[in-house]
Amino acid sequence: MVAATTALEPDIDAGLSLSFRSVSHAFALADELLPVLSGVDLEVQGGSFVAILGPSGCGKSTLLRLVAGLEQPRSGQILADGEPIAGPHPSRVVVFQDPTLYPWRTVEGNVALGLETRGLLRHRRDRIGAALRLVGLERFASAFPHQLSGGMAQRAALARALVNDPRLLILDEPLGKLDQLTRMTMQNEIVALWLNARFTTLMVTHDVEEALLMAQRVVIMTPRPATISEIIDVEMPYPRHRNDPRLIALRTLALERLGLGTYA
Amino acid sequence: MFGAADERVGFLDVRLRRDRWICARGALGRVLPAALWTALAGVTAFWPQADDWPRTRELAALALLIAGALATIAFLGRRLGTIGERIRHWEPWLAALATLVAVWELLTAKLAWLPPPFFVPPQAILEVYLDEGDKLLECILYSGLLLGQGTILGAGIGFLAGIALGWSPRASYWGHPILRVLGPLPATAWLPFAFFAFPSSRSASIFLVALATGIPVAVLTWSGVSSVNSAYYDVARTLGANQRFLVWKVAVPAAMPHVFVGLFMGLSSSFAVLVVAEMMGVKAGLGWYLQWAQGWGAYANMYAALIVLALVCATLVALLFKLRDRLLAWQKGLLKW
């Protein structure tokens, strides 16, 4: 994949800017409300790459569902380019932890989904091939999902998102279930895709190293109900290297903030 | 090193011997069906009859015809390609069938160990096909039309009802108890009601067949739609899908494996209902023919109709399997079937 060099200036035009205004959310359980997010305030510049890091079950994924428009926050507001988010929109696409490809469609058919929902399939069919080339799956266009490996399936899910020319790419632990080698490769690939297209990227992860390696800013959340405990700016050019001493220092800092300082 | 080489030679030897054995068995296997059908023709034509059965010559001629066809196929061998391959697969069965018919012929027409009129020889059934073939064909057409109208109507309504039940909470609230109460009722229990409520016995039968098909299709479509992974909907919604897309492009394809289970169940219960309906009220069709033949003590006609009915049902099930294999090809790698 392309290993682009430094490009740290955020591209306001291509990427959606987000602002979270004291966002709180709770799940309705049988007879009580379980608060998951409490008063999250965050500004995300258009075209930037922000990682959200936190203990598992803290509500990180809920935050993404709110940004995707799949759910509405109980209180507070999330603005996309100044407009409140009312529902899902193809300019804000999600790649989930499971690829969730439709098993009855070929890879090509899965990637075509976003075009189909918007009635663009007839005129923009060429975009499917382009998206598949972007993730290196052009030879698997007519394969069915069950014929793909985990990494290939996740690449197909990425192509399904990218075919829509998103202004915001939402990644919900997209590499969480992949093996170490595929994971390391895809971390670089996603960064390269982002550097080329400059959409805003919001990624949830529970891997400290992954967050620091990929994102410009790492937002650390507290346990549930989650609120922001710390924001680390990773002012390092791309491509980054795992063994960079600055990265190691930041990792120690992040682990401390997560309450795991003794293991750092 | 030498040991390994010896072993390999030994292995080759075993393979050679095995191949030769397969060749020998193959040669015998290839002529065996034709030989057995010839033997059947001989037994039929030349063994003295216990009783005077008509159409004995025709049965012998038919057996000889089959023997000739099998011999030609065996002679052409590999040159027939995949068709020959497929026929070769059935050679043991064809051989067994000739033996079975020969035993049957001996026990009935030749030795009369099995008494008429309940047991009839094969030539009596052949006689039915030769003399009443057009009448049977008419019955097949009539039953087929009734079954076709009933199952298509039932499957269509059941499918739509299942989608509604699985999709809309309101449809589920009102539909669930109805289906819970009426679903387990066998469609044949509706028979007395249907025959007085509908203007003709034909429309009553269509209703019954539709009911028998529709209920399993509705129940399984419903369970299919309501068990769709909710993440599939999330994906489609983030890509801008509207309700219509979610129903027809996500819920329905995801539920298709369930729908087919319902179709198989519905088709088999529709056969039962068809036959009973034709026996009770309709004055045509294979069920009616069965009843009529039994009433007149024409057992050969009854067996002949039973064989036809079995073949028709088996063909319809096979066609549904073919349709499923086409539509659900994507499942092939996920399931063993």
Side-chain angles (χ1 to χ4, degrees):
Chain A
M1 294 287 307
V2 216
T5 43
T6 52
L8 269 173
E9 283 309 306
D11 185 343
I12 313 276
D13 289 336
L16 204 64
S17 69
L18 295 170
S19 42
F20 297 77
R21 305 256 168 95
S22 50
V23 173
S24 296
H25 196 56
F27 288 137
L29 297 183
D31 49 358
E32 53 167 346
L33 278 180
L34 179 71
V36 278
L37 293 172
S38 91
V40 174
D41 281 297
L42 180 67
E43 294 292 325
V44 176
Q45 266 191 308
S48 63
F49 193 139
V50 174
I52 298 170
L53 195 61
S56 77
C58 77
K60 306 180 296 264
S61 295
T62 309
L63 196 65
L64 293 196
R65 288 180 71 82
L66 298 179
V67 178
L70 290 170
E71 284 172 49
Q72 289 297 316
R74 294 238 164 202
S75 68
Q77 250 190 337
I78 304 174
L79 305 176
D81 275 354
E83 298 282 326
I85 290 172
H89 191 274
S91 67
R92 291 177 261 119
V93 293
V94 190
V95 176
F96 296 94
Q97 184 175 13
D98 287 310
T100 47
L101 300 173
Y102 293 172
W104 60 89
R105 284 174 176 243
T106 59
V107 168
E108 199 174 24
N110 271 287
V111 174
L113 267 176
L115 300 176
E116 245 179 276
T117 55
R118 287 178 293 154
L120 298 175
L121 191 56
R122 197 173 298 171
H123 302 293
R124 307 305 311 274
R125 191 167 270 285
D126 54 306
R127 308 260 324 133
I128 300 169
L132 284 173
R133 269 193 296 283
L134 217 50
V135 297
L137 277 184
E138 61 272 30
R139 286 178 53 224
F140 293 89
S142 55
F144 278 105
H146 68 81
Q147 295 168 306
L148 304 181
S149 69
M152 285 157 78
Q154 201 53 283
R155 282 200 178 89
L158 202 56
R160 179 176 62 188
L162 295 175
V163 82
N164 301 291
D165 279 327
R167 297 190 58 218
L168 171 67
L169 183 64
I170 303 168
L171 302 169
D172 188 0
E173 290 189 45
L175 309 178
K177 287 192 174 170
L178 301 181
D179 64 274
Q180 184 69 23
L181 291 176
T182 314
R183 195 181 168 116
M184 284 167 70
T185 319
M186 285 193 71
Q187 286 169 351
N188 293 330
E189 288 177 4
I190 291 173
V191 167
L193 284 170
W194 164 69
L195 285 172
N196 275 332
R198 299 320 300 262
F199 36 72
T200 310
T201 304
L202 198 58
M203 178 178 78
V204 152
T205 177
H206 53 234
D207 182 332
V208 177
E209 193 184 76
E210 184 171 280
L212 293 168
L213 193 69
M214 295 173 75
Q216 295 170 309
R217 293 169 81 203
V218 176
V219 177
I220 296 175
M221 311 285 285
T222 62
R224 195 181 57 233
T227 184
I228 294 172
S229 79
E230 175 97 26
I231 296 178
I232 299 176
D233 284 307
V234 189
E235 284 161 351
M236 287 169 58
Y238 296 94
R240 295 175 180 167
H241 297 284
R242 272 159 232 277
N243 298 326
D244 193 314
R246 285 173 292 177
L247 211 65
I248 293 170
L250 284 175
R251 200 181 70 160
T252 312
L253 175 70
L255 285 172
E256 259 169 35
R257 294 294 183 273
L258 283 165
L260 294 167
T262 48
Y263 302 108
Chain B
M1 277 304 269
F2 284 114
D6 280 351
E7 252 169 55
R8 210 172 306 152
V9 170
F11 165 71
L12 269 177
D13 194 37
V14 166
R15 237 177 63 171
L16 219 70
R17 245 182 291 159
R18 202 191 56 187
D19 285 354
R20 223 176 287 148
W21 186 75
I22 286 175
C23 271
R25 201 190 57 162
L28 182 69
R30 231 164 289 152
V31 292
L32 189 66
L36 283 170
W37 281 93
T38 313
L40 171 62
V43 167
T44 309
F46 301 117
W47 195 300
Q49 307 241 61
D51 226 333
D52 187 27
W53 291 102
R55 301 291 188 185
T56 304
R57 285 177 161 284
E58 282 83 349
L59 180 64
L62 182 66
L64 209 56
L65 202 70
I66 293 171
L70 288 172
T72 314
I73 288 160
F75 177 73
L76 288 176
R78 297 257 155 81
R79 269 161 287 179
L80 278 175
T82 46
I83 302 167
E85 202 70 55
R86 209 170 295 168
I87 292 169
R88 214 163 300 135
H89 170 79
W90 291 106
E91 270 171 356
W93 256 108
L94 288 164
L97 203 63
T99 316
L100 202 75
V101 177
V103 171
W104 175 17
E105 174 72 14
L106 283 173
L107 290 178
T108 51
K110 305 302 183 193
L111 304 169
W113 287 0
L114 296 174
F118 303 110
F119 294 96
V120 297
Q123 51 263 56
I125 286 171
L126 185 63
E127 188 192 5
V128 175
Y129 291 138
L130 290 174
D131 296 353
E132 291 208 15
D134 39 349
K135 193 168 182 182
L136 271 172
L137 211 62
E138 205 179 294
C139 286
I140 294 173
L141 277 178
Y142 197 91
S143 289
L145 206 62
L146 185 59
L147 194 69
Q149 285 172 319
T151 46
I152 288 170
L153 195 70
I157 293 173
F159 180 63
L160 294 177
I163 293 170
L165 286 165
W167 190 258
S168 135
R170 187 179 295 176
S172 170
Y173 174 81
W174 292 106
H176 188 193
I178 297 176
L179 217 53
R180 276 288 271 276
V181 172
L182 299 185
L185 200 63
T188 40
W190 289 89
L191 210 105
F193 161 78
F195 277 114
F196 84 73
F198 281 84
S200 67
S201 59
R202 187 178 164 74
S203 52
S205 307
I206 291 176
F207 163 76
L208 290 171
V209 170
L211 196 70
T213 319
I215 284 177
V217 171
V219 170
L220 276 133
T221 306
W222 170 23
S223 89
V225 168
S226 47
S227 65
V228 173
N229 183 351
S230 67
Y232 289 160
Y233 296 132
D234 285 347
V235 166
R237 284 175 62 207
T238 59
L239 295 175
N242 54 17
Q243 286 277 316
R244 224 171 108 163
F245 192 93
L246 292 181
V247 174
W248 294 104
K249 297 284 180 114
V250 184
V252 167
M256 266 337 249
H258 281 81
V259 174
F260 266 92
V261 175
L263 281 174
F264 278 108
M265 289 167 60
L267 190 63
S268 15
S269 60
S270 76
F271 294 151
V273 171
L274 172 79
V275 171
V276 175
E278 286 182 342
M279 283 178 169
M280 302 289 283
V282 190
K283 292 281 171 281
L286 285 167
W288 167 81
Y289 190 92
L290 276 171
Q291 179 87 344
W292 170 85
Q294 193 259 348
W296 284 96
Y299 293 102
N301 297 55
M302 196 185 75
Y303 293 128
L306 265 181
I307 293 170
V308 168
L309 191 61
L311 291 178
V312 167
C313 295
T315 309
L316 289 174
V317 171
L319 284 176
L320 190 58
F321 266 109
K322 276 256 183 294
L323 183 69
R324 182 197 66 169
D325 289 358
R326 256 191 112 83
L327 286 179
L328 301 185
W330 56 269
Q331 260 201 321
K332 272 223 162 114
L334 300 175
L335 299 172
K336 275 264 168 261
W337 56 4

